[in-house]
């Protein structure tokens, strides 16, 4: 059964802004390459260079509803608090910000048209960012104070 017959269709993104390249860390690239090598070992009717990255046993694209259902079962079995598959996108954005990634980079990664949407959605969930900002600001001010005190001390010493 073709993707279109299952209610799926490959199509162009809604806008040019939706088409983007995502940077991946070396470990993720290694795992994806290993997955690709395994897929290439499948019979030709189940794999081609234009096949989806993740497929069912038949080589067809994995149904989104299956992924959602399977993810829900894995979360339930893990004993972790309930989380939706889409929440992983929010988690990734939050972790990127917590790691110090610039807001503009997170905006581009998520494909948000406006940095305001990214900021309104994600920055408020990171109280650690506020504490880090307060510490960084204090360090900057104290460094300037020390430099000023050194200048003043030199002026006093010379008079």
């Amino acid at each position: 059964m073709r993707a279109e017959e299952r209610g799926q269709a490959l199509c162009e993104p809604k806008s040019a802004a939706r088409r983007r390249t995502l940077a991946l860390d070396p470990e993720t690239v290694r795992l994806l390459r290993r997955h690709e090598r395994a897929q290439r070992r499948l019979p030709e009717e189940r794999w081609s260079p234009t096949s989806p990255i993740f497929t069912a046993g038949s080589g067809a694209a994995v149904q989104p509803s299956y992924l959602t259902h399977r993810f829900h079962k894995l979360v339930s079995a893990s004993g972790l608090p309930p989380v939706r598959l889409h929440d992983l996108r929010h988690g990734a954005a939050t972790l990127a910000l917590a790691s110090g990634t610039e807001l503009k980079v997170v905006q581009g990664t998520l494909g948000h048209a406006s940095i305001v949407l990214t900021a309104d959605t994600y920055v408020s969930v990171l109280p650690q960012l506020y504490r880090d900002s307060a510490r960084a600001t204090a360090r900057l001010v104290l460094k300037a104070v020390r430099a000023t005190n050194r200048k003043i001390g030199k002026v006093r010493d010379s008079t």
Side-chain angles (χ1 to χ4, degrees):
M1 189 182 312
R2 295 179 356 190
E4 294 83 4
E5 294 166 348
R6 291 188 311 269
Q8 295 176 320
L10 296 176
C11 59
E12 289 296 313
K14 294 181 208 174
S15 68
R18 300 255 177 163
R19 182 179 299 276
R20 59 195 179 274
T21 301
L22 299 177
L24 299 173
D25 64 281
E27 180 64 11
T28 301
V29 171
R30 186 185 70 74
L31 292 171
L32 285 171
R33 292 210 191 283
R34 184 171 77 183
H35 178 71
E36 180 186 26
R37 285 191 301 275
Q39 293 293 94
R40 284 177 181 263
R41 290 192 289 271
L42 295 173
E44 278 186 34
E45 66 273 6
R46 291 177 45 204
W47 185 84
S48 80
T50 59
S51 293
I53 294 173
F54 301 104
T55 61
S58 66
V62 177
Q63 291 289 315
S65 59
Y66 170 78
L67 287 177
T68 300
H69 173 73
R70 183 76 177 127
F71 182 78
H72 177 73
K73 286 184 77 155
L74 290 170
V75 170
S76 294
S78 75
L80 294 171
V83 63
R84 299 170 303 146
L85 183 58
H86 183 76
D87 293 335
L88 297 181
R89 173 180 165 91
H90 297 295
T94 301
L95 289 171
L97 288 167
S99 73
T101 302
E102 294 289 329
L103 188 59
K104 189 71 177 166
V105 172
V106 174
Q107 174 203 354
T109 300
L110 295 174
H112 289 163
S114 165
I115 198 166
V116 173
L117 171 64
T118 309
D120 285 349
T121 304
Y122 297 103
V123 173
S124 63
V125 299
L126 291 171
Q128 184 61 43
L129 291 178
Y130 294 107
R131 289 189 291 273
D132 293 347
S133 173
R135 286 187 193 109
T137 302
R139 277 193 305 272
L140 184 66
V141 169
L142 292 172
K143 183 179 176 181
V145 166
R146 285 190 289 274
T148 302
N149 284 341
R150 281 192 297 275
K151 286 181 185 177
I152 292 171
K154 287 180 185 178
V155 169
R156 281 190 200 147
D157 291 344
S158 64
T159 57

